[in-house]
mmCIF file of all heavy atoms in Angstrom:
data_model
loop_
_atom_site.group_PDB
_atom_site.id
_atom_site.type_symbol
_atom_site.label_atom_id
_atom_site.label_comp_id
_atom_site.label_asym_id
_atom_site.label_seq_id
_atom_site.Cartn_x
_atom_site.Cartn_y
_atom_site.Cartn_z
ATOM 1 N N LEU A 1366 0.814 -1.214 0.000
ATOM 2 C CA LEU A 1366 0.000 0.000 0.000
ATOM 3 C C LEU A 1366 0.845 1.261 0.000
ATOM 4 O O LEU A 1366 0.352 2.339 -0.356
ATOM 5 C CB LEU A 1366 -0.952 0.011 1.201
ATOM 6 C CG LEU A 1366 -1.876 -1.201 1.366
ATOM 7 C CD1 LEU A 1366 -2.973 -0.910 2.361
ATOM 8 C CD2 LEU A 1366 -2.467 -1.625 0.036
ATOM 9 N N SER A 1367 2.099 1.152 0.378
ATOM 10 C CA SER A 1367 3.000 2.312 0.336
ATOM 11 C C SER A 1367 3.710 2.431 -1.001
ATOM 12 O O SER A 1367 4.380 3.439 -1.264
ATOM 13 C CB SER A 1367 4.043 2.196 1.450
ATOM 14 O OG SER A 1367 4.949 1.134 1.182
ATOM 15 N N GLY A 1368 3.591 1.406 -1.829
ATOM 16 C CA GLY A 1368 4.297 1.410 -3.107
ATOM 17 C C GLY A 1368 5.736 0.954 -3.006
ATOM 18 O O GLY A 1368 6.456 0.935 -4.009
ATOM 19 N N GLU A 1369 6.168 0.547 -1.818
ATOM 20 C CA GLU A 1369 7.531 0.029 -1.663
ATOM 21 C C GLU A 1369 7.687 -1.319 -2.346
ATOM 22 O O GLU A 1369 8.790 -1.713 -2.725
ATOM 23 C CB GLU A 1369 7.873 -0.118 -0.178
ATOM 24 C CG GLU A 1369 7.918 1.172 0.603
ATOM 25 C CD GLU A 1369 8.170 0.912 2.076
ATOM 26 O OE1 GLU A 1369 9.224 0.330 2.391
ATOM 27 O OE2 GLU A 1369 7.294 1.258 2.900
ATOM 28 N N ALA A 1370 6.574 -2.046 -2.471
ATOM 29 C CA ALA A 1370 6.583 -3.364 -3.103
ATOM 30 C C ALA A 1370 5.377 -3.494 -4.019
ATOM 31 O O ALA A 1370 4.370 -2.788 -3.867
ATOM 32 C CB ALA A 1370 6.570 -4.469 -2.043
ATOM 33 N N LEU A 1371 5.484 -4.415 -4.974
ATOM 34 C CA LEU A 1371 4.401 -4.704 -5.901
ATOM 35 C C LEU A 1371 4.053 -6.180 -5.824
ATOM 36 O O LEU A 1371 4.863 -6.999 -5.390
ATOM 37 C CB LEU A 1371 4.807 -4.363 -7.337
ATOM 38 C CG LEU A 1371 5.172 -2.911 -7.638
ATOM 39 C CD1 LEU A 1371 5.682 -2.780 -9.064
ATOM 40 C CD2 LEU A 1371 3.991 -1.986 -7.403
ATOM 41 N N ALA A 1372 2.853 -6.517 -6.255
ATOM 42 C CA ALA A 1372 2.423 -7.918 -6.303
ATOM 43 C C ALA A 1372 1.760 -8.179 -7.639
ATOM 44 O O ALA A 1372 1.134 -7.295 -8.232
ATOM 45 C CB ALA A 1372 1.452 -8.228 -5.165
ATOM 46 N N GLY A 1373 1.892 -9.418 -8.124
ATOM 47 C CA GLY A 1373 1.251 -9.831 -9.366
ATOM 48 C C GLY A 1373 0.103 -10.779 -9.098
ATOM 49 O O GLY A 1373 -0.012 -11.357 -8.009
ATOM 50 N N PHE A 1374 -0.743 -10.951 -10.103
ATOM 51 C CA PHE A 1374 -1.924 -11.809 -9.997
ATOM 52 C C PHE A 1374 -1.809 -12.888 -11.067
ATOM 53 O O PHE A 1374 -2.022 -12.626 -12.248
ATOM 54 C CB PHE A 1374 -3.185 -10.959 -10.198
ATOM 55 C CG PHE A 1374 -4.487 -11.695 -10.037
ATOM 56 C CD1 PHE A 1374 -4.838 -12.258 -8.818
ATOM 57 C CD2 PHE A 1374 -5.385 -11.784 -11.089
ATOM 58 C CE1 PHE A 1374 -6.059 -12.912 -8.659
ATOM 59 C CE2 PHE A 1374 -6.611 -12.430 -10.940
ATOM 60 C CZ PHE A 1374 -6.941 -12.991 -9.723
ATOM 61 N N GLY A 1375 -1.434 -14.094 -10.669
ATOM 62 C CA GLY A 1375 -1.152 -15.173 -11.612
ATOM 63 C C GLY A 1375 -2.381 -15.984 -11.959
ATOM 64 O O GLY A 1375 -2.608 -17.050 -11.363
ATOM 65 N N LEU A 1376 -3.147 -15.508 -12.927
ATOM 66 C CA LEU A 1376 -4.350 -16.211 -13.353
ATOM 67 C C LEU A 1376 -4.187 -16.798 -14.754
ATOM 68 O O LEU A 1376 -4.316 -18.003 -14.961
ATOM 69 C CB LEU A 1376 -5.549 -15.259 -13.328
ATOM 70 C CG LEU A 1376 -6.853 -15.776 -13.948
ATOM 71 C CD1 LEU A 1376 -7.348 -17.009 -13.208
ATOM 72 C CD2 LEU A 1376 -7.910 -14.678 -13.944
ATOM 73 N N THR A 1377 -3.888 -15.949 -15.741
ATOM 74 C CA THR A 1377 -3.825 -16.376 -17.134
ATOM 75 C C THR A 1377 -2.691 -17.372 -17.369
ATOM 76 O O THR A 1377 -1.606 -17.240 -16.817
ATOM 77 C CB THR A 1377 -3.630 -15.155 -18.050
ATOM 78 O OG1 THR A 1377 -4.687 -14.227 -17.818
ATOM 79 C CG2 THR A 1377 -3.626 -15.567 -19.508
ATOM 80 N N GLU A 1378 -2.964 -18.355 -18.211
ATOM 81 C CA GLU A 1378 -1.954 -19.354 -18.572
ATOM 82 C C GLU A 1378 -1.767 -19.369 -20.086
ATOM 83 O O GLU A 1378 -2.639 -18.896 -20.829
ATOM 84 C CB GLU A 1378 -2.371 -20.734 -18.062
ATOM 85 C CG GLU A 1378 -2.466 -20.796 -16.548
ATOM 86 C CD GLU A 1378 -2.717 -22.207 -16.016
ATOM 87 O OE1 GLU A 1378 -2.857 -23.138 -16.843
ATOM 88 O OE2 GLU A 1378 -2.760 -22.361 -14.784
ATOM 89 N N PRO A 1379 -0.633 -19.909 -20.570
ATOM 90 C CA PRO A 1379 -0.373 -19.914 -22.012
ATOM 91 C C PRO A 1379 -1.487 -20.539 -22.839
ATOM 92 O O PRO A 1379 -1.771 -20.097 -23.947
ATOM 93 C CB PRO A 1379 0.927 -20.722 -22.121
ATOM 94 C CG PRO A 1379 1.616 -20.506 -20.815
ATOM 95 C CD PRO A 1379 0.520 -20.436 -19.797
ATOM 96 N N GLY A 1380 -2.151 -21.551 -22.319
ATOM 97 C CA GLY A 1380 -3.192 -22.227 -23.088
ATOM 98 C C GLY A 1380 -4.603 -21.942 -22.617
ATOM 99 O O GLY A 1380 -5.560 -22.510 -23.150
ATOM 100 N N THR A 1381 -4.750 -21.079 -21.617
ATOM 101 C CA THR A 1381 -6.086 -20.792 -21.080
ATOM 102 C C THR A 1381 -6.208 -19.300 -20.830
ATOM 103 O O THR A 1381 -5.899 -18.815 -19.751
ATOM 104 C CB THR A 1381 -6.338 -21.555 -19.763
ATOM 105 O OG1 THR A 1381 -5.324 -21.204 -18.809
ATOM 106 C CG2 THR A 1381 -6.301 -23.044 -19.987
ATOM 107 N N GLY A 1382 -6.671 -18.576 -21.833
ATOM 108 C CA GLY A 1382 -6.855 -17.140 -21.697
ATOM 109 C C GLY A 1382 -8.215 -16.832 -21.109
ATOM 110 O O GLY A 1382 -8.401 -16.765 -19.899
ATOM 111 N N SER A 1383 -9.225 -16.688 -21.979
ATOM 112 C CA SER A 1383 -10.583 -16.397 -21.504
ATOM 113 C C SER A 1383 -11.176 -17.554 -20.711
ATOM 114 O O SER A 1383 -12.046 -17.358 -19.867
ATOM 115 C CB SER A 1383 -11.497 -16.078 -22.694
ATOM 116 O OG SER A 1383 -11.036 -14.929 -23.380
ATOM 117 N N ASP A 1384 -10.704 -18.767 -20.977
ATOM 118 C CA ASP A 1384 -11.210 -19.958 -20.278
ATOM 119 C C ASP A 1384 -10.419 -20.178 -18.995
ATOM 120 O O ASP A 1384 -9.619 -21.105 -18.877
ATOM 121 C CB ASP A 1384 -11.093 -21.178 -21.193
ATOM 122 C CG ASP A 1384 -11.611 -22.455 -20.523
ATOM 123 O OD1 ASP A 1384 -12.340 -22.336 -19.515
ATOM 124 O OD2 ASP A 1384 -11.275 -23.544 -21.005
ATOM 125 N N ALA A 1385 -10.662 -19.286 -18.005
ATOM 126 C CA ALA A 1385 -9.916 -19.386 -16.752
ATOM 127 C C ALA A 1385 -10.206 -20.686 -16.018
ATOM 128 O O ALA A 1385 -9.389 -21.184 -15.239
ATOM 129 C CB ALA A 1385 -10.247 -18.191 -15.854
ATOM 130 N N GLY A 1386 -11.381 -21.262 -16.274
ATOM 131 C CA GLY A 1386 -11.716 -22.526 -15.637
ATOM 132 C C GLY A 1386 -10.879 -23.682 -16.154
ATOM 133 O O GLY A 1386 -10.889 -24.770 -15.575
ATOM 134 N N GLY A 1387 -10.140 -23.447 -17.243
ATOM 135 C CA GLY A 1387 -9.286 -24.486 -17.788
ATOM 136 C C GLY A 1387 -7.890 -24.489 -17.200
ATOM 137 O O GLY A 1387 -6.963 -25.051 -17.796
ATOM 138 N N THR A 1388 -7.709 -23.878 -16.056
ATOM 139 C CA THR A 1388 -6.407 -23.797 -15.386
ATOM 140 C C THR A 1388 -5.729 -25.164 -15.305
ATOM 141 O O THR A 1388 -6.337 -26.161 -14.905
ATOM 142 C CB THR A 1388 -6.579 -23.228 -13.957
ATOM 143 O OG1 THR A 1388 -7.087 -21.898 -14.049
ATOM 144 C CG2 THR A 1388 -5.256 -23.206 -13.204
ATOM 145 N N GLN A 1389 -4.446 -25.194 -15.686
ATOM 146 C CA GLN A 1389 -3.663 -26.428 -15.648
ATOM 147 C C GLN A 1389 -2.643 -26.456 -14.511
ATOM 148 O O GLN A 1389 -2.190 -27.534 -14.112
ATOM 149 C CB GLN A 1389 -2.923 -26.614 -16.980
ATOM 150 C CG GLN A 1389 -3.845 -26.744 -18.189
ATOM 151 C CD GLN A 1389 -4.743 -27.963 -18.097
ATOM 152 O OE1 GLN A 1389 -4.272 -29.073 -17.838
ATOM 153 N NE2 GLN A 1389 -6.038 -27.758 -18.294
ATOM 154 N N THR A 1390 -2.247 -25.292 -14.010
ATOM 155 C CA THR A 1390 -1.302 -25.252 -12.889
ATOM 156 C C THR A 1390 -1.880 -26.009 -11.704
ATOM 157 O O THR A 1390 -3.060 -25.849 -11.364
ATOM 158 C CB THR A 1390 -1.002 -23.791 -12.496
ATOM 159 O OG1 THR A 1390 -0.384 -23.136 -13.593
ATOM 160 C CG2 THR A 1390 -0.093 -23.718 -11.286
ATOM 161 N N ARG A 1391 -1.052 -26.822 -11.068
ATOM 162 C CA ARG A 1391 -1.526 -27.650 -9.964
ATOM 163 C C ARG A 1391 -0.713 -27.400 -8.701
ATOM 164 O O ARG A 1391 0.480 -27.102 -8.771
ATOM 165 C CB ARG A 1391 -1.469 -29.138 -10.325
ATOM 166 C CG ARG A 1391 -2.425 -29.497 -11.443
ATOM 167 C CD ARG A 1391 -2.527 -30.989 -11.698
ATOM 168 N NE ARG A 1391 -3.576 -31.267 -12.667
ATOM 169 C CZ ARG A 1391 -4.858 -31.460 -12.359
ATOM 170 N NH1 ARG A 1391 -5.227 -31.430 -11.080
ATOM 171 N NH2 ARG A 1391 -5.747 -31.691 -13.301
ATOM 172 N N ALA A 1392 -1.394 -27.537 -7.577
ATOM 173 C CA ALA A 1392 -0.740 -27.433 -6.276
ATOM 174 C C ALA A 1392 -1.189 -28.615 -5.421
ATOM 175 O O ALA A 1392 -2.392 -28.845 -5.240
ATOM 176 C CB ALA A 1392 -1.103 -26.112 -5.599
ATOM 177 N N VAL A 1393 -0.219 -29.356 -4.926
ATOM 178 C CA VAL A 1393 -0.496 -30.544 -4.117
ATOM 179 C C VAL A 1393 0.001 -30.294 -2.698
ATOM 180 O O VAL A 1393 1.126 -29.820 -2.498
ATOM 181 C CB VAL A 1393 0.205 -31.788 -4.711
ATOM 182 C CG1 VAL A 1393 -0.033 -33.004 -3.826
ATOM 183 C CG2 VAL A 1393 -0.297 -32.049 -6.130
ATOM 184 N N LEU A 1394 -0.839 -30.594 -1.722
ATOM 185 C CA LEU A 1394 -0.448 -30.413 -0.331
ATOM 186 C C LEU A 1394 0.420 -31.589 0.100
ATOM 187 O O LEU A 1394 -0.015 -32.738 0.096
ATOM 188 C CB LEU A 1394 -1.694 -30.307 0.549
ATOM 189 C CG LEU A 1394 -1.506 -29.715 1.950
ATOM 190 C CD1 LEU A 1394 -0.901 -28.311 1.883
ATOM 191 C CD2 LEU A 1394 -2.841 -29.685 2.685
ATOM 192 N N ASP A 1395 1.668 -31.284 0.447
ATOM 193 C CA ASP A 1395 2.626 -32.295 0.898
ATOM 194 C C ASP A 1395 3.043 -31.918 2.314
ATOM 195 O O ASP A 1395 3.912 -31.070 2.513
ATOM 196 C CB ASP A 1395 3.832 -32.322 -0.043
ATOM 197 C CG ASP A 1395 4.858 -33.382 0.357
ATOM 198 O OD1 ASP A 1395 4.489 -34.313 1.100
ATOM 199 O OD2 ASP A 1395 6.029 -33.247 -0.060
#
């Protein structure tokens, strides 16, 4: 909020633009 740092929003993927529900990135709890 001070502008000292920035953050990105990782939604779009190379093969899934408008079809966000087609997300291929996976996260497994280990």
Side-chain angles (χ1 to χ4, degrees):
L1366 305 194
S1367 69
E1369 296 176 60
L1371 299 174
F1374 183 63
L1376 171 61
T1377 303
E1378 297 187 358
T1381 57
S1383 298
D1384 180 17
T1388 297
Q1389 298 298 310
T1390 298
R1391 294 188 173 272
V1393 177
L1394 197 57
D1395 181 19

